[in-house]
Amino acid sequence: MAHESSYVPGNAVEKWIDDRLPIIRWSKEHLMDYPTPKNLNYWWTFGAILAFMLGVQIVTGIVLAMHYTPHVSLAFDSVEHIRRDVNGGRVIQAVHTTGASMFFAAVYIHMFRGLYFGSYKAPREILWILGVIIFVLMVTTAFMGYVLPWGQMSFWAATVITNIVGAIPVIGNPILELLRGGFAVDNATLNRFFSLHYLLPFVIAAVVALHIWALHVPGNSNPTGVEVKSSRDTVPFHPYYTMKDLFAIVVFCIPFAWFVFFAPDILGHPDNYIMANSQVTPTHIVPEWYFLPFYAILRAIDFNIFFIDSKLGGVIFFAGAILVLFFVPWLDTSKVRSGSFRPIFKWFYWLFVANFVLLAYLGSAPAEGIFVLLSKIATAYYFIYFLIVLPLLGRFETPRELPTSISESVLKHSTPVGGADPALAKTTH
Amino acid sequence: MIKTKAIIGALLVSILFAAAPAAAQEGGHSTPEIKKEPWSFAGPFGTYDRNQLQRGFQVFREVCASCHGARLMAFRNLSEPGGPEFTEGQVKALAAEYDVADPSVAGGTRPAVPADRWPSPFANEQEARDANGGALPPDFSVIAKARGTTQPFPWWILNYFTAYSEGGPDYIHAVLTGYHEPPAGVTVPEGMHYNEYFPGHNIAMAPPLSDGAITYEEGETGSVPQTTDQYARDVSAFLMWMAEPHLVARKEAGLQVIAFLLLFAGLMYLVKRKLWAKVEH
């Protein structure tokens, strides 16, 4: 956001640095003075929570890598060695594995917040697209990380998921062999996954930097969806949002610690405590919970579509479910940004949320009986929401009247109004 | 407005969730639900019962260890805090009773020392299968975490709030006490045994425990029943310790961390409230 720098070097040393590398000036502008809408609700704290989680994962991951051995005959035991013999290893390892789950929980909330409040609309399309890229990188990193303990689920998840690539015509098989480093998941696969699992978080960190850069150009969106009009609408990022975000991070750490210390294995699968064995297939191969909605979509396509066989069809829908997110800024034709002012949109939105939860459940259920039909319906709605509802709704829906500014909306809501939208009411404590 | 929507949505979702498994279970094979047992190490305040772990070790050593390995457990673990807590002298004497492979000594084996890992009963997988009618007795190091139980919807949701992590010992206890005659019309293949809780019901392992098979020493706290159920309970607890030897320390740390976070969150809330008091928002 364009604003005058208020930084004055405090002493000769700061002045000397400022003339050469104005990093303190930059920090003051972007980490402290950055004008932020004053009506952000707690859903907006998940950005900071995610930055915190990325830090947690990188730090614990670096320590784990000091003790881990990426070899098919040693990997399983080396993870147990961390849990049993490394000082504090049980906690570090649990923070990292549970941390992956908490990271995804936070990223889903962050994404759903963006979808509700229309955070992807102009001029924030690139901001949104960078976010989707981060999500794709996270999925890849988490998948590779899950393979490293070399348990039964690690091995079979690696086999099933890499197989997906093999369904692509012509180039599928060469890519599959490149991914696995051979014809089957084996030591070469484990080694390259370890290498990439260590690399990708730093790529994520770099894209996060771009994501924040793209945020700081137009500034934050806000629950009303009305752009900032004057400095009355904003507060400096520090201390207002640094302290609010820190409070949210601490609260977020409570369930995180609950899982780490009291149920570190509850989010995983017991089969991963059995060492990988290519001769024994587990009865149910289930991915981690955060992949379940997409896994359900992959499995829902069990029929051929013209010349496309069901396997390739599943892959197309699976990839499409993520790729469609890149186009959301242009699929949503509504001029109104925030879902709070779109009476019909809300219905479709909450149905989409419920549908996503249902997909997660279906991803964990065996592919039999009524689950098969439900998976197809839920998959259909996932795409209908993006490809039909969002483009058409903008044309037919009559939005509610928008406040002229953030300040006006804040003043209106600070006196209790009956029947106010809770999404907005939350912003007034 | 949003509330009614949320309620309708929640109802819709829960109907779907409740209906789906009911429909799916029709015609499925029937394994009775495994009961949650009251374990001393369950929940945030859980801790191992030292006497139970010592009894469980006795069951493991006298019965299980003749076929099942425990390659990740070192003798020294048996004297570490939070476990069975045998004295160092006891562990030294115990280790000396076992021979471990060591290519650097004459003859290739030597008596074990506390730093050694528990020796496996068979040299390799083939030998283990040959001795067990083709079946491979799994290693027991982390078996208590490699097994689990499932609860029907919606009860499994509660597990996240009770921190239920005892599916392994519940399953082991159920299998050890789940042997009985097959129901009418069910034939068990030769060399197999009927077990109510084992997936598929046919288990290669013969019933390993029977009432009075192991003689417990009289403890200070009075005598413990010498029944299959008690043996199964004790050895399940021991296997849980073997899979998770630092459970007690981990939970103790957890209580401190959560107490700290609650306090920190309270203080941060006050900071945030005071700061924002002057801002209309």
Side-chain angles (χ1 to χ4, degrees):
Chain A
M1 185 137 285
H3 58 278
E4 289 300 306
S5 175
S6 63
Y7 173 69
V8 182
N11 53 47
V13 178
E14 275 187 41
K15 172 90 172 61
W16 186 87
I17 295 170
D18 195 49
D19 290 340
R20 286 154 181 84
L21 178 72
I23 191 165
I24 305 174
R25 177 182 301 275
W26 181 89
S27 303
K28 184 160 192 311
E29 270 175 48
H30 285 279
L31 305 178
M32 295 174 73
D33 295 345
Y34 171 65
T36 318
K38 61 185 184 179
N39 61 337
L40 300 188
N41 57 36
Y42 276 99
W43 298 117
W44 258 262
T45 60
F46 280 88
I49 288 171
L50 284 163
F52 167 75
M53 284 312 301
L54 180 62
V56 168
Q57 291 302 85
I58 288 180
V59 170
T60 52
I62 287 171
V63 176
L64 289 175
M66 295 173 187
H67 301 278
Y68 170 78
T69 316
H71 186 277
V72 285
S73 60
L74 300 169
F76 185 89
D77 286 4
S78 76
V79 174
E80 274 304 318
H81 157 73
I82 291 169
R83 291 196 183 106
R84 286 158 183 269
D85 299 330
V86 172
N87 291 338
R90 189 51 176 121
V91 172
I92 298 167
Q93 188 269 340
V95 167
H96 196 71
T97 50
T98 330
S101 281
M102 298 304 286
F103 205 167
F104 271 95
V107 88
Y108 280 130
I109 293 173
H110 193 62
M111 290 164 79
F112 275 110
R113 187 270 287 161
L115 285 174
Y116 183 81
F117 291 105
S119 305
Y120 45 80
K121 289 186 189 177
R124 295 184 184 81
E125 299 94 327
I126 290 183
L127 173 61
W128 170 263
I129 288 169
L130 288 167
V132 180
I133 291 172
I134 293 170
F135 178 67
V136 172
L137 287 169
M138 276 178 68
V139 167
T140 319
T141 311
F143 160 65
M144 288 175 174
Y146 191 54
V147 175
L148 302 184
W150 208 242
Q152 272 289 68
M153 278 299 164
S154 302
F155 178 86
W156 288 98
T159 304
V160 170
I161 301 299
T162 49
N163 250 333
I164 291 179
V165 181
I168 302 168
V170 191
I171 54 164
N173 261 319
I175 296 180
L176 177 65
E177 279 166 29
L178 182 67
L179 259 180
R180 289 181 176 172
F183 299 114
V185 174
D186 209 335
N187 199 45
T189 324
L190 181 61
N191 273 292
R192 62 193 56 200
F193 277 21
F194 178 55
S195 173
L196 294 173
H197 183 71
Y198 204 112
L199 166 74
L200 288 182
F202 298 99
V203 179
I204 293 177
V207 185
V208 166
L210 294 179
H211 189 65
I212 295 172
W213 184 5
L215 168 71
H216 280 223
V217 174
N220 284 76
S221 177
N222 67 81
T224 64
V226 178
E227 287 291 349
V228 168
K229 298 254 162 58
S230 71
S231 60
R232 282 176 62 236
D233 294 343
T234 65
V235 289
F237 187 72
H238 177 75
Y240 292 96
Y241 282 107
T242 46
M243 293 301 121
K244 186 178 175 180
D245 287 346
L246 187 56
F247 167 56
I249 288 170
V250 175
V251 171
F252 184 79
C253 281
I254 294 171
F256 187 8
W258 173 266
F259 286 125
V260 165
F261 290 102
F262 301 136
D265 299 312
I266 202 168
L267 300 163
H269 197 288
D271 274 7
N272 228 26
Y273 279 101
I274 304 170
M275 199 168 147
N277 184 345
S278 59
Q279 308 300 311
V280 181
T281 317
T283 30
H284 296 296
I285 300 173
V286 201
E288 292 281 82
W289 70 266
Y290 36 82
F291 296 146
L292 289 174
F294 299 103
Y295 189 59
I297 292 174
L298 175 74
R299 291 196 308 180
I301 311 303
D302 56 1
F303 48 89
N304 299 343
I305 310 160
F306 305 116
F307 58 93
I308 299 168
D309 69 350
S310 59
K311 197 179 169 197
L312 180 59
V315 176
I316 291 171
F317 275 76
F318 173 77
I322 292 175
L323 291 179
V324 73
L325 295 173
F326 283 105
F327 301 97
V328 171
W330 297 279
L331 287 169
D332 186 351
T333 51
S334 174
K335 294 275 175 290
V336 176
R337 187 174 286 135
S338 170
S340 303
F341 299 95
R342 301 180 60 188
I344 307 171
F345 165 83
K346 278 182 200 167
W347 283 92
F348 287 105
Y349 173 82
W350 288 110
L351 185 61
F352 179 75
V353 175
N355 185 65
F356 195 71
V357 175
L358 176 67
L359 275 171
Y361 180 74
L362 293 169
S364 73
E368 57 190 34
I370 193 166
F371 296 132
V372 178
L373 179 66
L374 279 177
S375 301
K376 288 181 183 135
I377 297 171
T379 301
Y381 184 70
Y382 182 95
F383 286 99
I384 286 169
Y385 177 79
F386 288 118
L387 299 177
I388 298 174
V389 174
L390 286 186
L392 290 185
L393 206 55
R395 293 177 215 279
F396 299 114
E397 187 181 40
T398 319
R400 279 174 37 209
E401 197 190 333
L402 292 174
T404 48
S405 74
I406 292 171
S407 297
E408 188 210 77
S409 136
V410 163
L411 289 175
K412 199 172 79 192
H413 282 276
S414 39
T415 48
V417 186
D421 190 328
L424 279 174
K426 269 194 213 94
T427 64
T428 60
H429 309 280
Chain B
M1 171 92 152
I2 265 193
K3 243 180 210 158
T4 19
K5 271 185 227 165
I7 291 166
I8 294 168
L11 276 177
L12 212 72
V13 170
S14 45
I15 289 167
L16 286 175
F17 275 36
Q25 259 158 31
E26 272 175 49
H29 64 92
S30 60
T31 305
E33 196 189 325
I34 291 171
K35 219 175 110 234
K36 290 183 181 176
E37 300 291 336
W39 301 105
S40 69
F41 44 84
F45 301 97
T47 160
Y48 289 121
D49 174 350
R50 191 175 66 107
N51 292 327
Q52 184 176 42
L53 294 189
Q54 294 200 353
R55 292 195 303 271
F57 173 66
Q58 193 188 343
V59 178
F60 168 75
R61 190 188 170 202
E62 292 180 17
V63 182
C64 319
S66 50
C67 300
H68 294 278
R71 63 191 168 85
L72 296 173
M73 181 181 72
F75 286 99
R76 65 179 163 82
N77 296 141
L78 291 163
S79 62
E80 281 165 5
E85 297 183 354
F86 290 109
T87 64
E88 283 186 27
Q90 282 173 315
V91 170
K92 222 170 180 168
L94 173 81
E97 291 177 33
Y98 291 83
D99 278 338
V100 290
D102 184 348
S104 68
V105 296
T109 61
R110 58 163 172 78
V113 295
D116 282 312
R117 307 249 166 192
W118 190 265
S120 292
F122 303 107
N124 54 51
E125 185 182 328
Q126 196 51 51
E127 205 179 288
R129 282 187 190 278
D130 289 347
N132 288 282
L136 176 69
D139 186 273
F140 270 4
S141 308
V142 285
I143 196 86
K145 292 197 293 183
R147 298 292 183 272
T149 57
T150 50
Q151 280 81 41
F153 182 84
W155 304 114
W156 53 258
I157 293 173
L158 289 180
N159 293 346
Y160 297 102
F161 297 93
T162 58
Y164 175 66
S165 309
E166 293 75 39
D170 282 339
Y171 170 85
I172 295 166
H173 172 264
V175 165
L176 288 175
T177 56
Y179 285 94
H180 58 70
E181 286 302 307
V186 174
T187 46
V188 178
E190 207 195 314
M192 297 296 228
H193 308 269
Y194 187 85
N195 191 301
E196 200 178 347
Y197 296 103
F198 189 74
H201 298 308
N202 295 323
I203 185 166
M205 176 171 71
L209 303 172
S210 59
D211 291 350
I214 299 139
T215 313
Y216 282 153
E217 256 177 71
E218 195 81 11
E220 307 121 41
T221 48
S223 66
V224 175
Q226 305 195 2
T227 58
T228 302
D229 181 74
Q230 187 62 41
Y231 298 146
R233 244 168 245 282
D234 293 346
V235 79
S236 302
F238 174 75
L239 293 177
M240 185 65 188
W241 166 78
M242 193 152 69
E244 194 67 70
H246 302 307
L247 176 141
V248 175
R250 189 189 84 210
K251 289 189 176 182
E252 277 170 5
L255 291 174
Q256 292 168 11
V257 168
I258 299 242
F260 167 77
L261 286 173
L262 287 172
L263 185 71
F264 190 14
L267 291 173
M268 279 314 300
Y269 175 71
L270 295 176
V271 167
K272 186 255 161 194
R273 199 176 62 167
K274 181 146 197 292
L275 195 61
W276 281 80
K278 289 161 278 174
V279 183
E280 286 279 8
H281 67 285

